[in-house]
Amino acid sequence: MTIAFKDFYASKGILVSPWVGLEHFKRVFRSPDFLPILWNTLILSIYQLVLTFPIPIFLALLINSCQSKKFGKFVQNVTYAPYLVSVVVLVGMMMIMFAPRGVFNNILELAGGERQLFMGDEKYFRHIFVLSAVWQTTGWNSIIYLATLSGVSPELYEAARMDGANKLQRIIHIDMPHIIPTIAIILTLNAGAVMSMGFEKAYLMQNDLNIGVSEILSTYVYKKGLLDIDYGYSAAVGLFNNVINLIILLLVNKAAKKITKSSLF
């Protein structure tokens, strides 16, 4: 935080480096690159949140209501296994599968379409980024909801069956009320990190052809701070990013507390 307000020199150290006040922040907001990068970050973050947040809930509800426990365990293991794949390996797999001679282009050509440069086209970047995140994280993120649902008393399900409730009605009137507090807390945590997209994946997928949509705040901070050795400027961008995350976290937490009576604090 101190470096964001100083003209930092490694040879002088943090305390001795000259104080510049808000100069780095003025440079940030004057930069022609900042607003497009901020916009890219917001679009990608919200797009990812909209898809990756509800799908694990649906998966957990389906697994929990599955009559065959063995099949439910099998689905659970299969869906959370991709989470164990490292980001580097995941991007390498996508590079191969979406290559001009890759699997998806072969399928597209067989269907009568033309081969596409998926990893080098800006219009495909966000979809590939988010859908790969859905594939990788859905099973793992569903674990916390399954753990919550495991605490539901079997007597409630038995009573609902005796009253003639079908499976959908049991999900709506028994399962959903039990996981709503968990949903509120997880949503608050995710909303508080909406500006903090993963650096590794975006940087590895980035190239000169898709840079217009793939440049986000985390990659921008890395390039400015470590590659351009502009520590004060990158620290200012990072501090701005964290302040926005904190504001969003407080607002969503307040809304969750009012609506669901569940919150972080």
Side-chain angles (χ1 to χ4, degrees):
M1 290 178 64
T2 304
I3 291 174
F5 301 95
K6 288 200 168 193
D7 189 8
F8 176 71
Y9 292 94
S11 59
K12 295 181 179 181
I14 297 175
L15 297 178
V16 182
S17 294
W19 184 271
V20 295
L22 298 176
E23 186 60 35
H24 294 310
F25 293 93
K26 292 178 182 178
R27 286 176 56 204
V28 169
F29 294 116
R30 288 173 188 161
S31 172
D33 298 327
F34 181 69
L35 284 180
I37 292 170
L38 179 62
W39 183 243
N40 287 343
T41 306
L42 285 172
I43 292 176
L44 198 59
S45 297
I46 294 171
Y47 184 13
Q48 181 165 285
L49 181 62
V50 167
L51 281 189
T52 59
F53 181 73
I55 294 178
I57 300 172
F58 295 140
L59 178 63
L61 291 171
L62 290 173
I63 292 175
N64 185 67
S65 61
C66 183
Q67 291 183 350
S68 173
K69 296 302 178 183
K70 287 185 178 181
F71 180 73
K73 286 290 184 182
F74 172 76
V75 172
Q76 186 179 353
N77 290 333
V78 169
T79 52
Y80 81 56
Y83 186 80
L84 305 177
V85 178
S86 73
V87 175
V88 176
V89 174
L90 173 64
V91 174
M93 291 167 59
M94 290 193 293
M95 290 290 186
I96 295 171
M97 296 175 72
F98 289 103
R101 293 291 174 184
V103 175
F104 286 98
N105 266 314
N106 290 339
I107 295 173
L108 189 62
E109 189 175 51
L110 287 173
E114 296 182 0
R115 292 181 178 272
Q116 302 290 325
L117 188 62
F118 288 109
M119 300 300 289
D121 196 326
E122 290 186 353
K123 67 181 179 182
Y124 295 120
F125 175 82
R126 290 176 180 139
H127 303 305
I128 295 173
F129 187 97
V130 173
L131 292 176
S132 62
V134 171
W135 174 77
Q136 188 175 30
T137 63
T138 294
W140 186 264
N141 291 340
S142 68
I143 292 175
I144 190 169
Y145 301 111
L146 285 168
T148 304
L149 290 170
S150 66
V152 179
S153 174
E155 295 176 358
L156 290 174
Y157 294 118
E158 201 61 40
R161 289 191 190 94
M162 291 179 66
D163 289 339
N166 58 34
K167 187 173 292 186
L168 180 60
Q169 290 172 327
R170 294 197 296 271
I171 290 174
I172 293 172
H173 297 290
I174 298 176
D175 293 340
M176 285 304 297
H178 275 84
I179 64 172
I180 281 177
T182 305
I183 291 173
I185 292 173
I186 299 299
L187 179 60
T188 303
L189 290 171
N190 288 345
V194 72
M195 296 280 287
S196 301
M197 295 295 298
F199 159 78
E200 297 92 345
K201 187 176 175 183
Y203 187 71
L204 290 169
M205 291 179 63
Q206 199 174 85
N207 55 57
D208 292 337
L209 297 175
N210 63 26
I211 193 71
V213 296
S214 64
E215 188 76 295
I216 58 177
L217 286 174
S218 59
T219 59
Y220 185 62
V221 167
Y222 165 74
K223 291 175 182 177
K224 284 293 182 182
L226 295 181
L227 300 186
D228 295 346
I229 318 180
D230 195 346
Y231 300 115
Y233 182 85
S234 63
V237 176
L239 182 57
F240 168 81
N241 189 24
N242 290 333
V243 169
I244 297 300
N245 276 337
L246 177 61
I247 293 171
I248 294 173
L249 174 66
L250 294 174
L251 291 175
V252 174
N253 185 72
K254 186 175 182 179
K257 190 173 184 178
K258 183 176 289 187
I259 296 171
T260 67
K261 309 301 180 185
S262 298
S263 61
L264 292 175
F265 45 85

